[in-house]
Amino acid sequence: PQWNAVIWGLVFGGVNITMIAKLLLEHQDTFTMEEMSLYRAHMEEFDVPSSSFRRLLSVGRWGDVAPGETLIQIGKPNEHVFLVHKGVVEAREGMGGLLYTYIGGEGVQCGCVVGGTALVDPLVRKHMYPNWVGVSADGEAVRYVAWAVDDLIKVLREDKALYSAWMHMLYGSLIHTLRKERRDKKDLAENYKLYLYFLKGALMDDSAPASKKLLVQAFAKTHGITEAQHIQALSKVGWTLEEWETGLKKRLRRKAGATEAKNQPLHVIRVSSLEE
């Protein structure tokens, strides 16, 4: 009987030790509300273990970008991958036209990875980043997580579940970008067609005074018409850039010049031929 009591004591002691160890591990893998939101948005679907997620977070850093501030500078190398957790980040050509938007938030799984191409194409890191990436001045503050490319690659190579989750995000971002590019191309084509009709109507009387130019320029700016497209459109409606700048068709300028000469007083007409 005494031995039975000892054995049962050891069994219960082992169970208690196991439970304590489990509780300690669970406590170790507790996450903040923000981290849980990130997990639900991108990791839960792929059954990423909490220990793997913890490791992923351990090599990353949280950060914020205020309205009007820059996340990635144009013309400089970028050695980080960013996951937009909350808010909208823009990529612009210089500080000009909008190229892409990266949207973060729980339930948003596409278009939220910035700089992710470096994970699958090492050559990208040898080039200067081609675009300005940041938050528009009239936007809202953005919350993100950033990883050094080398650190992230190492973690993903060693964890299949994390790798699957990240490849899904990258694929989703790629599809999001391609779809946006197709929509943008279609919109640009429609805008150019509208501009062509507008310009043709505006120049029907073969004149382009300053007031009319202001209207045309405002229409062009609203519809994203470039200078090259403007020159092309002028050619299609029978105008040259020189005519546009002077504000009158050449034939009208010649006619106006002839009329001006005809109406000049006699005393300003050259009389050298009469003197001869």
Side-chain angles (χ1 to χ4, degrees):
Q2 289 182 341
W3 282 109
N4 288 339
V6 171
I7 291 171
W8 279 110
L10 291 174
V11 170
F12 283 123
V15 170
N16 288 333
I17 291 171
T18 302
M19 292 300 296
I20 290 170
K22 184 178 179 182
L23 287 172
L24 287 173
L25 288 174
E26 286 178 353
H27 179 71
Q28 184 180 350
D29 279 336
T30 56
F31 300 101
T32 65
M33 294 294 291
E34 188 173 49
E35 290 169 340
M36 283 305 302
S37 176
L38 188 72
Y39 181 85
R40 285 192 297 268
H42 305 290
M43 306 291 158
E44 190 172 42
E45 179 182 351
F46 301 92
D47 295 324
V48 174
S50 59
S51 57
S52 297
F53 184 54
R54 174 63 65 191
R55 187 182 177 199
L56 178 68
L57 292 176
S58 71
V59 296
R61 62 175 176 84
W62 288 89
D64 301 280
V65 190
E69 290 189 352
T70 299
L71 183 64
I72 302 176
Q73 291 187 348
I74 186 173
K76 292 189 175 182
N78 174 49
E79 290 292 335
H80 290 83
V81 177
F82 301 87
L83 176 57
V84 181
H85 176 59
K86 182 180 179 183
V88 178
V89 169
E90 298 180 346
R92 291 184 175 273
E93 191 174 10
M95 286 297 289
L98 180 65
L99 296 174
Y100 318 114
T101 53
Y102 303 93
I103 304 171
E106 193 166 342
V108 178
Q109 294 182 322
C110 299
C112 54
V113 180
V114 186
T117 308
L119 296 176
V120 293
D121 185 2
L123 295 178
V124 169
R125 300 168 64 186
K126 296 182 179 181
H127 303 290
M128 301 299 101
Y129 206 80
N131 308 315
W132 175 87
V133 180
V135 182
S136 66
D138 57 351
E140 297 182 356
V142 165
R143 184 76 166 154
Y144 67 86
V145 191
W147 291 268
V149 175
D150 290 332
D151 291 342
L152 185 55
I153 288 175
K154 185 175 185 298
V155 170
L156 297 183
R157 282 177 177 171
E158 296 172 356
D159 196 303
K160 291 183 178 180
L162 282 176
Y163 180 85
S164 296
W166 268 92
M167 289 303 105
H168 176 79
M169 282 191 287
L170 287 178
Y171 178 75
S173 291
L174 176 62
I175 295 300
H176 172 81
T177 300
L178 291 176
R179 285 175 178 169
K180 185 181 185 305
E181 285 180 346
R182 284 199 294 266
R183 288 197 303 269
D184 289 348
K185 287 179 181 178
K186 184 178 179 180
D187 290 343
L188 288 173
E190 291 296 325
N191 286 348
Y192 178 72
K193 190 182 294 185
L194 284 173
Y195 182 69
L196 198 57
Y197 290 144
F198 181 82
L199 190 64
K200 186 175 182 179
L203 301 178
M204 281 183 66
D205 60 353
D206 291 333
S207 69
S211 58
K212 188 182 291 184
K213 285 181 182 178
L214 286 174
L215 289 174
V216 171
Q217 289 165 357
F219 188 93
K221 184 177 181 181
T222 303
H223 291 78
I225 303 300
T226 65
E227 181 66 17
Q229 288 176 316
H230 169 66
I231 295 172
Q232 184 183 44
L234 284 173
S235 176
K236 286 184 176 293
V237 299
W239 277 61
T240 65
L241 184 59
E242 180 188 358
E243 290 172 338
W244 168 259
E245 290 174 346
T246 57
L248 206 62
K249 290 285 288 182
K250 279 185 178 179
R251 61 183 180 82
L252 289 183
R253 290 208 307 274
R254 288 195 296 268
K255 184 178 178 180
T259 302
E260 183 180 352
K262 183 178 179 181
N263 293 333
Q264 282 183 347
L266 290 176
H267 69 272
V268 299
I269 299 177
R270 288 194 306 123
V271 292
S272 58
S273 59
L274 296 177
E275 291 173 353
E276 294 172 358

